[in-house]
Amino acid sequence: MYNSQFIYNTNNMSNLKKYNLFIFITSFAKSLVELFIPLILYDKGFSIKAIIFFSMLKYLFCSLFIPLTVKLGNKLKFTFLMIISSVTFSITYIYLNFIKESIFSLFILAFILSIYLDFYWVSRHIFGLTIIKDKKATDNVSLYSIFSLLGTIPATYVGAFVLEHFGFIVLNVIVFILMFLSVIPLIKMNNVSFKTETKVKKIIKTFPKQNYIFLVLNQFLYIITSLIPLYTYLYIKKEFNYIGLINIISGLGSVIYIYILSKKMDKNKKDYLTISMILLSIIYLFKISIKKSTIFLFITFFEGIMRSTLDTIILRNTYVYGKNYSVVTYIGFIEFLNNIIRFIYLFIFYLFNFNLKIILFISIIGLFINSFFKFDDGKYGYKKES
């Protein structure tokens, strides 16, 4: 009865509302467990270096699988890839809880997880960019970010609670059901077609040099956000519930701030990218310099606001420039570039055996340097409108 009512309601929604519902459900579902993967690996006996190696493998596999993901999406439909991603995500978590301490196990885990990541994120971005309206790009992307935050804010705390009181099997069943249900709004979208006529070679040649530089440096931000939970777990408080509380604190205020910022961006025809990066860099420097858990929570509040702001701005700029090309090819290009750069960074960190604090410090410096580079949002961006 619940499922039929859910399907009936999605039939009466606009594509934007259906997509935001999809974002909300999947953000909640995947955040129940995704954040804890490095922490669980550590508790299973894996060293920090081994976890860095796992992350390196994950991004390498993601890079290699992008062409296959695009090809399968064109042939089998991207909604079908979303269904497969739900299954592979559940398999990943099951395997994680039975994993044995070995390099081979990390290869298997990274392989399975990368299939989920590629199928999910490539498909999500393709749908997001396809339905976006040219003159409402900032408004639409801000809604994407808001619904993602609304799903993410309570998820890690709920995930930690279920994990500690009911175990991984119950949590895994919940995640699988939610991820599977989330695909229904995508299936119910009306008149959505994906263009693939642009050749990758054209994008490589015409993509602005400043955007290449920006995206290369911007991957330091993803290194920080993927490793900061592990840093928190090791150096601040070794509790899953505290990590969940961190996530709630970081989301408080972000939703309202993103909404206000999006209106200001459209009004002033300005993205506030530089100042956001500088402020977030300063916040992260403070964050890795303190030890007290209460002060750490206080700083996390401002980190959450600035990080969500920056995510919104970058996503908006990336989507707007994507209007210059066909959606599928462009998203495949962007995802490949992002993942291969993350792999290269982590490979260097692993090769030189940097510790976690040094990795975070170098990444923060990289984020700060990136504040000096602008992202060209193209002929459909603010430059064209102003």
Side-chain angles (χ1 to χ4, degrees), residues 75-88:
K75 193 171 184 179
L76 303 175
K77 293 187 178 181
F78 288 98
T79 48
F80 183 70
L81 293 193
M82 278 294 184
I83 295 173
I84 298 176
S85 75
S86 303
V87 176
T88 53

Side-chain angles (χ1 to χ4, degrees), residues 7 13 52 81-82 94 101 136 141 154 167 177 182 198 245-246 262 267 286 288 291 300 306 324 354:
I7 294 171
M13 294 180 182
I52 300 298
L81 293 193
M82 278 294 184
I94 292 171
E101 190 181 345
K136 292 186 177 181
V141 171
I177 292 173
S182 71
T198 305
L245 182 61
I246 284 285
S262 66
K267 182 180 179 181
F286 274 115
I288 65 170
K291 295 293 184 182
T300 296
M306 295 314 305
N324 292 283
F354 291 135

Side-chain angles (χ1 to χ4, degrees), residues 136-194:
K136 292 186 177 181
T138 306
D139 185 60
N140 289 169
V141 171
S142 67
L143 285 175
Y144 296 169
S145 298
I146 287 169
F147 276 90
S148 182
L149 276 169
L150 289 174
T152 302
I153 287 171
T156 47
Y157 194 84
V158 173
F161 179 84
V162 174
L163 192 62
E164 292 183 356
H165 291 83
F166 300 99
F168 81 93
I169 295 178
V170 173
L171 185 59
N172 192 58
V173 170
I174 293 172
V175 170
F176 177 75
I177 292 173
L178 289 173
M179 291 289 283
F180 190 80
L181 285 175
S182 71
V183 182
I184 297 175
L186 297 183
I187 296 173
K188 296 297 176 180
M189 281 186 176
N190 302 315
N191 302 317
V192 178
S193 59
F194 306 121

Side-chain angles (χ1 to χ4, degrees), residues 186-218:
L186 297 183
I187 296 173
K188 296 297 176 180
M189 281 186 176
N190 302 315
N191 302 317
V192 178
S193 59
F194 306 121
K195 299 179 180 179
T196 59
E197 62 268 16
T198 305
K199 300 296 182 182
V200 177
K201 289 182 180 179
K202 180 184 176 181
I203 301 178
I204 294 172
K205 291 179 180 179
T206 58
F207 198 65
K209 291 181 180 179
Q210 68 189 72
N211 289 5
Y212 274 114
I213 296 171
F214 179 88
L215 289 179
V216 166
L217 289 171
N218 188 56

